[in-house]
Amino acid sequence: MSLSAPTHGGMPGGILQRLMRTPGLRRLRGSRALLVGLLLLATVVAVALSAGLLYPGDPRDMAGPAGTWPGIDARFSLGTDMLGRDMAAAMAHSAGTSLTVGIAAAALALLVGIAAGVLAGYFGGAVDDVLMRISELFQTMPSLLFTIILVVILGPTTASISFAIGITAWPQIARLVRAEAVRVRRLDYVDAAVTLGMGHGRIVLLHVLPNSLAPVVVAASILVAQAILSDASLSFLGLGDPNGMSWGSMVGAGRPMLRTAWYMTALPGGAIFLTVMGFMLIGNGLNDLLNPRTPVR
Amino acid sequence: MPTSLRYVFRRLVQALPMAFAIVLLNFLLLKLTPGDLADVIAGESGSATPEFMENLRRLYGLDIPVHLQFLNYIQGILHFDLGYSFRQGMPVGELILERLPATILLSLTAILFALLIGVLLGVVAARSRGSLLDEAISVVSTMGFATPLFWVGLMLIVLFSIELRWLPSAGMVTVGADYRGRWDEWLDIGRHLVLPAVTLSLFFLSIYVRITRSAMLEVYGLDFVRTARAKGLTEARVVIRHVLRNALLPIVTVTGLQLGAIFGGTVVVETVFGWPGLGRLAQEAVFSRDVNLLLGIFLCSSFIVIVVNLAVDLLYAALDPRVEVRQ
């Protein structure tokens, strides 16, 4: 047991150590993006969690006169849509859907990507070749089209949408993790583990995996951002879960009213933008903190 | 010459398994779809006795083992026979060929626009590294990544079509227009092209800004740039002839790699602007749950990505003699 956990570079400890080493100025700059991002995310999460309390009842019920512009009626701070439903209530209830799909899809992509990356990087050879060719295949094909086809075939549910988005997003993670795993494989402590007679399974799980995860931290939040955007596109195209509400489908529904009531499209679209921006800023901020020398991607 | 020919040959051989994998994936998706062709036809015709269904399955080769069906499928693709769209009442292949030119026009315009503005902004950001301008460009390019394209498109319509009335909001030509010559028609298409092309270019613009900036900063520090300066060349000449020219190589590569993403973008953007291309066709297919048509579009666009990337690789080798040696 004393040999199994290297004290340097492991997940949580490693990040903290790197944080400590970051020069003050860079830390300030990085944390500004991080701070704004966290603030945006915290707001969205708070709204998603308190939607039921703030706006009790079904947000799909008619609440007032149709097509009320924001700021006209105090009861409807963000106005009402063409069916007289409260925009603010609908948007608050949609926040949870976006976050759920975004995080579930990212989690799937991380799981597949990390597994494929570590295996390819550690074993090399034929395993590496096959896994990398598959990841190239996924990077070549138009992923939104593939996602659309999967959702059409499986039927639009929150689960199938998350699956379809996540299964196209893993190659970028696999490539990041693979590069790290290739580096780690050559380090002394892996040699030491081999000498001690440890099996591949233990070496991969205890040594290679934890030490290959650092770049994933930044990528994960960008991944959630991309997944939320894909989900929004799907619901805009009419492929959202018909039982749930989402910002993307609200934009789609508001489209015929663009001429007379553009706030019905502008508001939910703005919510997508702010949420995605939150995750992007967190990713950029973390990148500045963890890799002070590399430019933000 | 033989070495470069060998390189061309090797790239071709590498592209083939990819094309095969795409075809296989397409076939698997087709088999995964609930209900086969016989169900579709029976559903359209409204009569479905078991004998009728059996006849249909025999007619379309659905009663033979799956691996033989796959061979038939490949044979069909080699003849550009992608099946029939019962919803559109046309062969899938013909539908795609009909819509492809509009998508190519839109994508090329968007890529060119993104390239022009993106490279310009990237150069400006790199030249003023660390300044407020650099920061501002970086923030704007992050926003470009974070904005849903369909929303940008709709907001542009609100501003430029509804409020300002400068540009048309939908379609590729004015309905019922009476053109007085070629120029008139092109001008009309051009006016319809502006908003969708700008919308589609946004995502790529952000990528180009970042790549140009980092590539420029990388090249700036190299010896040959110092030599160029020491020769007394003007700064503009150093930037354009020496720095930018080297920075362009990663830009070419990324354009090829992101082509799949641009097809995804066209689905959304063409839907917003009613642009009569492949993306709009895909949206129509989604709407009528026409999986056969969707798979045809998926197959064709994947092949286009493979072919263009092959061309990019070859172009790259022609531009940069080092590539061949490295391989």
Side-chain angles (χ1 to χ4, degrees):
Chain A
M1 202 52 214
S2 58
L3 279 164
S4 60
T7 47
H8 57 282
M11 259 289 278
I15 288 169
L16 269 179
Q17 276 175 7
R18 290 200 202 189
L19 275 181
M20 298 307 193
R21 271 189 259 122
T22 317
L25 233 162
R26 289 294 295 203
R27 191 158 31 181
L28 252 179
R29 241 196 90 215
S31 63
R32 200 174 59 198
L34 195 61
L35 204 71
V36 177
L38 285 173
L39 216 66
L40 280 173
L41 180 60
T43 314
V44 178
V45 170
V47 169
L49 290 178
S50 59
L53 284 173
L54 287 173
Y55 305 98
D58 194 335
R60 277 167 293 195
D61 286 343
M62 194 172 144
T68 312
W69 274 75
I72 303 280
D73 188 331
R75 283 179 304 158
F76 308 112
S77 51
L78 297 180
T80 58
D81 71 359
M82 50 282 183
L83 296 174
R85 296 173 296 196
D86 188 354
M87 289 284 292
M91 282 175 58
H93 280 273
S94 301
T97 320
S98 279
L99 288 177
T100 310
V101 173
I103 291 169
L108 176 66
L110 283 176
L111 202 73
V112 178
I114 289 173
V118 164
L119 292 179
Y122 178 73
F123 288 108
V127 179
D128 188 21
D129 271 349
V130 170
L131 285 173
M132 286 304 107
R133 287 302 89 76
I134 295 177
S135 85
E136 262 168 38
L137 172 69
F138 274 88
Q139 285 181 316
T140 300
M141 63 193 196
S143 51
L144 186 66
L145 268 177
F146 183 67
T147 308
I148 287 173
I149 293 171
L150 275 184
V151 175
V152 167
I153 292 175
L154 299 173
T157 62
T158 304
S160 75
I161 293 169
S162 310
F163 170 78
I165 295 173
I167 207 69
T168 55
W170 63 270
Q172 30 179 339
I173 299 294
R175 287 176 173 266
L176 277 176
V177 175
R178 176 185 172 274
E180 282 294 290
V182 165
R183 184 184 63 82
V184 172
R185 188 186 55 187
R186 303 207 187 95
L187 296 181
D188 287 344
Y189 57 79
V190 173
D191 283 342
V194 174
T195 316
L196 284 168
M198 276 184 157
H200 286 311
R202 276 191 71 179
I203 296 177
V204 167
L205 281 179
L206 295 176
H207 294 298
V208 182
L209 182 66
N211 291 302
S212 306
L213 290 180
V216 172
V217 179
V218 173
S221 77
I222 308 282
L223 206 58
V224 179
Q226 287 170 343
I228 291 177
L229 276 180
S230 301
D231 172 50
S233 296
L234 285 179
S235 3
F236 172 73
L237 292 170
L239 275 178
D241 188 339
N243 298 317
M245 304 202 74
S246 75
W247 293 326
S249 61
M250 285 176 79
V251 173
R255 206 177 137 206
M257 313 296 290
L258 210 55
R259 248 157 234 289
T260 49
W262 52 261
Y263 67 90
M264 292 179 196
T265 19
L267 291 173
I272 302 171
F273 168 68
L274 287 178
T275 310
V276 174
M277 197 69 189
F279 281 103
M280 301 281 291
L281 285 174
I282 291 174
N284 286 356
L286 281 176
N287 190 51
D288 272 1
L289 280 180
L290 303 176
N291 320 307
R293 285 207 202 128
T294 53
V296 180
R297 231 193 65 86
Chain B
M1 211 49 204
T3 40
S4 57
L5 266 182
R6 207 182 309 150
Y7 178 74
V8 170
F9 182 71
R10 193 167 48 218
R11 301 306 287 164
L12 275 172
V13 169
Q14 280 171 355
L16 281 177
M18 184 73 86
F20 179 78
I22 295 272
V23 172
L24 182 63
L25 185 68
N26 231 31
F27 180 74
L28 290 178
L29 286 170
L30 189 66
K31 287 284 126 191
L32 216 94
T33 312
D36 60 12
L37 191 60
D39 292 314
V40 175
I41 297 173
E44 297 286 319
S45 68
S47 67
T49 59
E51 296 82 36
F52 179 68
M53 300 286 286
E54 206 173 302
N55 277 332
L56 279 177
R57 294 215 162 87
R58 198 172 310 128
L59 184 64
Y60 288 102
L62 295 169
D63 57 342
I64 58 175
V66 176
H67 64 278
L68 292 179
Q69 285 186 37
F70 182 54
L71 287 181
N72 279 342
Y73 181 73
I74 292 181
Q75 203 175 17
I77 286 173
L78 289 176
H79 292 95
F80 199 61
D81 173 12
L82 301 174
Y84 193 82
S85 165
F86 288 90
R87 297 295 154 90
Q88 303 264 359
M90 254 173 104
V92 170
E94 267 178 48
L95 272 169
I96 290 174
L97 283 184
E98 194 182 275
R99 301 290 192 99
L100 194 57
T103 293
I104 292 177
L105 175 67
L106 175 62
S107 319
L108 279 185
T109 314
I111 291 176
L112 280 179
F113 182 77
L115 208 60
L116 217 68
I117 308 289
V119 169
L120 190 74
L121 286 180
V123 170
V124 170
R127 300 261 302 139
S128 58
R129 183 188 189 182
S131 72
L132 209 66
L133 188 64
D134 183 21
E135 292 249 323
I137 292 176
S138 147
V139 169
V140 170
S141 81
T142 305
M143 284 165 70
F145 275 121
T147 325
L149 287 187
F150 57 87
W151 186 61
V152 178
L154 291 169
M155 292 301 106
L156 289 178
I157 289 178
V158 169
L159 185 60
F160 291 104
S161 302
I162 297 175
E163 298 295 330
L164 296 170
R165 292 167 188 268
W166 285 355
L167 292 163
S169 65
M172 191 166 163
V173 289
T174 309
V175 180
D178 189 15
Y179 298 122
R180 273 165 299 168
R182 263 281 158 73
W183 265 113
D184 244 22
E185 191 183 348
W186 286 354
L187 207 68
D188 190 38
I189 294 178
R191 274 168 46 82
H192 283 80
L193 185 58
V194 176
L195 290 183
V198 167
T199 307
L200 187 57
S201 71
L202 193 77
F203 176 74
F204 292 89
L205 207 146
S206 300
I207 296 181
Y208 288 145
V209 170
R210 277 155 192 245
I211 292 182
T212 310
R213 181 181 178 278
S214 64
M216 292 258 314
L217 289 178
E218 219 168 88
V219 180
Y220 255 132
L222 298 182
D223 287 342
F224 70 90
V225 175
R226 204 174 46 201
T227 311
R229 285 221 177 88
K231 280 197 308 192
L233 296 184
T234 60
E235 189 61 23
R237 207 175 153 79
V238 173
V239 167
I240 294 171
R241 290 276 306 174
H242 292 264
V243 181
L244 192 57
R245 202 168 155 205
N246 278 283
L248 279 178
L249 289 170
I251 291 176
V252 173
T253 313
V254 166
T255 307
L257 288 177
Q258 292 294 333
L259 206 69
I262 222 172
F263 273 112
T266 58
V267 178
V268 170
V269 172
E270 289 182 7
T271 302
V272 169
F273 290 97
W275 187 261
L278 267 192
R280 175 81 188 287
L281 188 65
Q283 191 262 335
E284 290 164 22
V286 167
F287 197 71
S288 56
R289 299 291 190 265
D290 191 341
V291 178
N292 208 16
L293 180 53
L294 274 175
L295 286 174
I297 296 170
F298 178 63
L299 189 77
C300 284
S301 42
S302 302
F303 278 176
I304 292 174
V305 176
I306 293 177
V307 170
V308 171
N309 272 303
L310 195 65
V312 164
D313 277 349
L314 299 180
L315 184 76
Y316 204 110
L319 284 178
D320 187 347
R322 286 168 299 180
V323 170
E324 246 174 67
V325 184
R326 217 184 295 144
Q327 292 291 318

